[in-house]
Amino acid sequence: MAFMVKTIVGGQLKDLTGSLGGGEDKGDGDKSAAQAQGMSREEYEEYQKQLVEEKMERDAQFMQRKAERATLRSHFRDKYQLPKNEADESQIQMAGGDVELPRELAKMIEEDTEEEERASVLGQLASLPGLDLGSLKNKAQATLGDLKQSAEKCHIM
């Protein structure tokens, strides 16, 4: 922090004292970038290295967030049987391929799924005790088969 304050204030102070000097030529062309910033060459190299590392970290976090969003979108596309998007799949691949949803989002999706199951007719039927959905399915299929046979025998249709 003190390094940043020194850099900011030191640069402004040099500009102020340079403008008070009158019509002097600064001659910045022969100064290096480190001297222009008011720090030694080693400090400047360390500063540049730190900037590059911070940028790489930000880029990695940004890619991770984009991949998480793409995972969420692809989850909803699968859920609602929508066509897949190649851009989302490529973002997931670029981030490493095994991107998981953040815990909060996964929890929200799970809660929504549970609510939808409870609200659906099958969810209501499954919650009834002593009800066998398999037998209901078989009875419904048998009834449908009987209706098809009777429709074939009917001369009006």
Side-chain angles (χ1 to χ4, degrees):
M1 183 72 174
F3 173 73
M4 294 300 292
V5 171
K6 178 183 173 187
T7 304
I8 294 170
V9 174
Q12 292 176 352
L13 186 60
K14 285 185 181 184
D15 291 341
L16 180 65
T17 57
S19 64
L20 291 176
E24 292 181 17
D25 235 0
K26 282 191 173 187
D28 283 332
D30 59 345
K31 285 188 176 182
S32 69
Q35 291 172 343
Q37 291 285 334
M39 57 183 105
S40 70
R41 183 176 194 87
E42 294 82 23
E43 289 175 333
Y44 184 74
E45 288 174 1
E46 182 66 29
Y47 175 70
Q48 290 297 323
K49 183 179 175 183
Q50 186 180 17
L51 287 178
V52 169
E53 289 174 0
E54 288 174 359
K55 184 180 183 333
M56 289 174 57
E57 288 176 15
R58 283 193 311 271
D59 290 344
Q61 289 174 350
F62 180 69
M63 287 293 289
Q64 182 68 24
R65 281 192 221 113
K66 283 178 72 173
E68 288 173 356
R69 291 181 196 124
T71 303
L72 183 65
R73 287 191 298 268
S74 66
H75 168 76
F76 282 119
R77 282 193 184 94
D78 291 342
K79 180 178 179 180
Y80 296 111
Q81 300 172 354
L82 299 172
K84 297 185 187 257
N85 188 349
E86 296 297 324
D88 287 344
E89 291 178 10
S90 66
Q91 285 178 349
I92 294 170
Q93 294 282 334
M94 289 174 60
D98 57 344
V99 179
E100 294 183 8
L101 291 176
R103 290 181 183 166
E104 297 94 23
L105 290 176
K107 185 177 178 182
M108 288 172 49
I109 290 171
E110 186 177 316
E111 290 172 357
D112 288 344
T113 305
E114 289 174 2
E115 287 177 13
E116 288 175 3
E117 287 177 358
R118 278 186 250 130
S120 71
V121 175
L122 290 178
Q124 295 293 328
L125 288 176
S127 65
L128 294 175
L131 183 65
D132 185 22
L133 289 179
S135 65
L136 280 177
K137 181 180 175 185
N138 291 338
K139 287 179 184 178
Q141 286 177 343
T143 305
L144 186 60
D146 291 342
L147 285 174
K148 284 183 182 178
Q149 287 178 356
S150 63
E152 289 174 2
K153 293 179 184 176
C154 183
H155 298 292
I156 297 174
M157 291 185 171

